[in-house]
Amino acid sequence: MRPDDKEIERAAEVLRKGGLVAFPTETVYGLGANAEDATAVGRVFAAKGRPTSHPLIVHLSASQHLDDWAVEVPDAARQLAARLWPGPLTLVLRRHPRVTLATTGGLETVGVRVPDHPVAQALLSAFGGGVAAPSANRFGSVSPTTAEHVRTELGEAVDMVLDGGPCQVGVESTIVDVTSDTPSILRPGGATREQIEAILGTPVEVHASSAIRVPGQHPSHYAPRARVVLVPPEEIITAAAAAAARGERVGVLLPADATEMPTSVHAVVTVPGTAAGHARALYGVLRDLDEQGCDLILASLPEETGLGLAIANRLQRAAGPRPTA
Ligand code: TXA
Ligand code: MG
């Protein structure tokens, strides 16, 4: 059941009073606070356990408000906003003074997006201002794609959770830096590189490991508790059998149309064979394998076109080095 008008109004009031509201977007659930309230934004960082230098995205109800939150907006940004908003695209622009530096992690730039979800839209319209929101998970872990994931992970740290059902896209927004003459992708996501290039009429580079301190660019981000190892698709059955023989509790992530399924492993989960289905299911199945008690997850990378680029990026980060502390 979608939240009704009364619940949305109550959530907007929580935001006005400096509280935290978790809400659904088409990508993943966000943990929202008033983007102009440094104290409220501070609570977001505390709830996530996230370093305060890592910037948050400001969510707006419509692109017509863009100039209230960013300055020196270039044509490329306007073209992308006109075609892809509401939708899974975040534009990095020069910060308008009304955006508190707490939101931008001290940066003079701000990430802005207009989400495409009726509950997010209703909340943003009722609130009227910008909502600073990272994904509603603990720092470094897998983003939540259901309200239940948020409750399990953040519990009492959130004043209110709006339940809008499972997220349709399933991976986070694509972040495009439009502050220089050549726009670049800082994080692949729900809006594809191909879509962005078609709109701009030019190739766009993916700088997913730029020098800017961006949490999504920490190798260990988007990681479940279990170790993730990437294996070529033709080797995954053999690798799974070998790990199981070593005594590991192996979870295998496979496309539903795989011709062969491993046997004698701890768990097997399948994701739809389409990139959209794979993206939608990805974080949920990683959580599921954790819950099933796997200590090793084996997966293969999809082709890196369309949404496959974002899926591959998240799997690579999940498989990346973890902090030892
Ligand atoms: O789909 C999404 O983008 C979700 C939903 C809730 O909107 N949000 C999300 O937020 O994924 P978060 O905080 O988990 O990831 C946002 C990324 C971070 O890597 C952050 O560093 C980057 O956006 N970012 C935000 N502002 C930035 C800026 N001014 N310059 C560079 N990167 C920025
Ligand atoms: Mg996140």
Side-chain angles (χ1 to χ4, degrees):
M1 267 272 290
R2 287 273 162 83
D4 59 12
D5 290 353
K6 256 175 70 187
E7 197 176 349
I8 294 288
E9 186 42 49
R10 210 151 51 80
E13 196 53 31
V14 169
L15 292 175
R16 283 182 207 113
K17 290 190 167 139
L20 306 188
V21 176
F23 62 98
T25 80
E26 77 282 33
T27 59
V28 300
Y29 274 71
L31 177 61
N34 179 355
E36 295 174 85
D37 179 342
T39 310
V41 168
R43 295 187 59 211
V44 172
F45 286 101
K48 273 186 70 89
R50 169 156 158 169
T52 54
S53 58
H54 293 230
L56 307 182
I57 295 170
V58 176
H59 296 71
L60 305 177
S61 63
S63 50
Q64 76 209 46
H65 304 303
L66 180 58
D67 296 287
D68 297 336
W69 299 87
V71 295
E72 299 168 36
V73 177
D75 281 348
R78 299 213 187 269
Q79 286 162 13
L80 291 172
R83 297 281 299 279
L84 295 175
W85 280 351
L89 168 78
T90 295
L91 294 172
V92 172
L93 293 154
R94 305 238 163 259
R95 173 182 74 96
H96 188 287
R98 80 188 280 181
V99 184
T100 166
L101 284 169
T103 292
T104 68
L107 296 176
E108 285 306 325
T109 56
V110 60
V112 183
R113 101 172 181 96
V114 177
D116 184 16
H117 191 290
V119 175
Q121 284 281 335
L123 176 68
L124 291 164
S125 300
F127 176 60
V131 173
S135 50
N137 53 283
R138 298 280 303 167
F139 183 58
S141 83
V142 175
S143 294
T145 50
T146 67
E148 193 50 42
H149 294 163
V150 180
R151 291 192 200 99
T152 311
E153 199 159 327
L154 296 179
E156 297 297 297
V158 191
D159 297 306
M160 198 169 163
V161 180
L162 293 174
D163 190 343
C167 300
Q168 287 302 304
V169 176
V171 292
E172 299 83 349
S173 62
T174 302
I175 302 178
V176 182
D177 183 349
V178 276
T179 58
S180 77
D181 290 340
T182 46
S184 64
I185 294 175
L186 301 183
R187 177 180 72 181
T192 66
R193 177 188 196 163
E194 292 85 346
Q195 283 177 303
I196 291 163
E197 290 182 335
I199 292 165
L200 297 179
T202 166
V204 174
E205 282 192 42
V206 181
H207 288 157
S209 56
S210 86
I212 306 171
R213 207 162 347 104
V214 173
Q217 300 183 357
H218 227 263
S220 67
H221 257 75
Y222 311 107
R225 194 185 36 73
R227 212 162 89 245
V228 177
V229 172
L230 301 175
V231 185
E234 65 279 10
E235 291 170 24
I236 201 160
I237 303 285
T238 320
R246 288 195 304 270
E248 300 215 57
R249 288 159 72 91
V250 191
V252 185
L253 199 161
L254 283 175
D257 55 6
T259 48
E260 205 186 338
M261 293 287 155
T263 50
S264 341
V265 293
H266 186 69
V268 179
V269 294
T270 60
V271 289
T274 62
H278 190 170
R280 192 177 302 133
L282 182 65
Y283 290 150
V285 298
L286 291 177
R287 277 175 193 270
D288 184 29
L289 289 171
D290 260 353
E291 273 160 29
Q292 293 192 47
C294 297
D295 42 39
L296 170 66
I297 295 173
L298 297 181
S300 301
L301 293 180
E303 202 189 318
E304 295 186 22
T305 55
L307 272 175
L309 185 65
I311 298 166
N313 172 272
R314 302 308 188 272
L315 283 171
Q316 281 160 339
R317 293 189 188 291
R322 308 270 172 98
T324 46

